[in-house]
Amino acid sequence: VVVVSSPAWYSSACSPEERRTHISSFITLSSPGPHAFLLCVSLNEPAHDESKALDALAKLFGPAAVSTNTIVLFTHTEELGEDEPLEQYIMTWRKDLQELVGRCGDRYHTLERCSGEAEEGKNVEELLEKVEQAVRESGTKHLSCPLYQEAEDRVRQRQIEIIRQRRGEELSDNTSSNSQPEVTEEEMEAVREEAERSTRDFDLDVDSIFPSGNRVSPSSAAPSFLWGLWEKLMGWIRWLPTLVRREALFGSLVGLFVGGQIGGTVGATVGSVATEVSRRKTEKTK
């Protein structure tokens, strides 16, 4: 099993040149094509960047890369209550995660929330079974597309170059590979990893994949900042798992929008009252 771990190249903090480098790297390292993409998604944060990642995968490798070959791998599931199943949490509180999982053919998994080594091993086995199931449903041996075909051609050409260089042979651009001494598959396999790591610089139009960019004009800076702050706050509200935390955050929001020392006092009071009301309602229910 080969796992290629990629930086968050879909993050808004990543520059176009960094994106091009990261994408080129993981394409060559996973050539001739991956069996599955594992999209790691944290339960304690809004899934804005992860949604952008799926958009980018679809543009790079085709819609099937998302609908057929992607599995959502949830992290930070230990923050859920012991009696709160992951599926129930997603269905109840996280519409953004529902949409994310739905785009990936309802495939998701977690390697956390296990009580021992035996259960941990079982979780890994279940993940591999889901990968195999995704491959069977796709009807192919692995994901294949023009970009990966180009990557494989480049890697194989680089393998031949490395082997011939080690043999001490001089190559020229106008010499065909057929006239050179035969290269064995054993030699090719021996230099595969080196060839993958030295193959870079794909001609990727990252501006079309991420059209919005990171530029903000001076006239729109303030509204964009406030709107972004509001979206993040709403996202936090959706993912907070316990009722007590939601009530406390409600008080914090009041303090934030009232502002000043008075706002802080009002916010703390509102949060405390809301928490107490919630506690009494819970006791009555019990």
Side-chain angles (χ1 to χ4, degrees):
V1 177
V2 177
V3 179
V4 178
S5 179
S6 173
W9 48 268
Y10 47 81
S11 170
S12 56
C14 202
S15 69
E17 193 57 39
E18 288 174 329
R19 284 196 180 108
R20 186 177 292 105
T21 299
H22 293 324
I23 294 174
S24 297
S25 177
F26 86 68
I27 288 176
T28 54
L29 291 175
S30 59
S31 177
H35 294 98
F37 293 103
L38 300 180
L39 181 63
C40 295
V41 179
S42 176
L43 280 184
N44 60 1
E45 294 181 4
H48 299 316
D49 281 345
E50 287 76 7
S51 181
K52 294 178 182 178
L54 294 184
D55 295 337
L57 284 178
K59 291 180 179 179
L60 281 168
F61 311 119
V66 174
S67 61
T68 306
N69 293 88
T70 299
I71 300 174
V72 177
L73 189 63
F74 286 114
T75 65
H76 291 80
T77 54
E78 74 281 355
E79 297 189 13
L80 296 178
E82 294 182 359
D83 57 345
E84 186 173 19
L86 175 60
E87 183 177 3
Q88 178 181 336
Y89 169 74
I90 295 174
M91 296 297 295
T92 304
W93 301 110
R94 299 296 302 275
K95 183 178 179 181
D96 58 334
L97 297 185
Q98 289 184 48
E99 295 176 352
L100 206 68
V101 171
R103 293 180 63 183
C104 300
D106 294 325
R107 290 181 299 273
Y108 68 93
H109 193 68
T110 180
L111 297 176
E112 300 171 349
R113 306 194 77 180
C114 50
S115 57
E117 185 175 346
E119 187 175 350
E120 181 178 344
K122 182 180 178 181
N123 281 346
V124 174
E125 290 180 4
E126 290 177 352
L127 174 60
L128 294 178
E129 289 173 359
K130 290 180 180 180
V131 171
E132 292 175 352
Q133 178 65 25
V135 173
R136 285 195 297 269
E137 293 176 355
S138 70
T140 59
K141 294 182 178 180
H142 55 74
L143 177 68
S144 180
C145 67
L147 196 54
Y148 267 110
Q149 292 169 5
E150 176 188 351
E152 184 64 10
D153 291 341
R154 288 193 181 195
V155 170
R156 291 188 65 84
Q157 181 60 37
R158 181 56 183 153
Q159 286 174 289
I160 295 173
E161 291 175 358
I162 294 174
I163 292 170
R164 289 175 176 170
Q165 287 171 1
R166 290 182 178 181
R167 289 177 175 178
E169 299 174 359
E170 294 183 357
L171 299 179
S172 60
D173 295 337
N174 58 357
T175 302
S176 65
S177 59
N178 294 330
S179 64
Q180 299 297 320
E182 183 180 355
V183 176
T184 66
E185 287 300 323
E186 289 76 11
E187 289 178 307
M188 295 283 281
E189 185 62 29
V191 299
R192 173 81 190 195
E193 184 174 349
E194 181 180 350
E196 289 176 343
R197 296 187 181 280
S198 60
T199 304
R200 294 290 186 273
D201 301 327
F202 282 81
D203 186 17
L204 300 171
D205 186 6
V206 294
D207 292 332
S208 65
I209 301 173
F210 302 90
S212 58
N214 297 320
R215 299 178 182 177
V216 179
S217 62
S219 60
S220 62
S224 297
F225 171 77
L226 293 176
W227 179 250
L229 177 62
W230 176 254
E231 281 192 327
K232 185 172 287 292
L233 290 173
M234 290 297 97
W236 286 339
I237 292 175
R238 283 192 291 269
W239 64 253
L240 281 176
T242 65
L243 188 59
V244 174
R245 288 182 182 176
R246 288 195 301 276
E247 308 299 350
L249 181 62
F250 175 61
S252 300
L253 287 174
V254 172
L256 175 65
F257 285 101
V258 172
Q261 183 176 0
I262 297 178
T265 303
V266 172
T269 303
V270 170
S272 299
V273 171
T275 301
E276 179 63 19
V277 170
S278 174
R279 184 185 66 80
R280 293 185 180 184
K281 286 182 178 180
T282 303
E283 290 179 352
K284 285 183 179 181
T285 302
K286 291 181 179 179

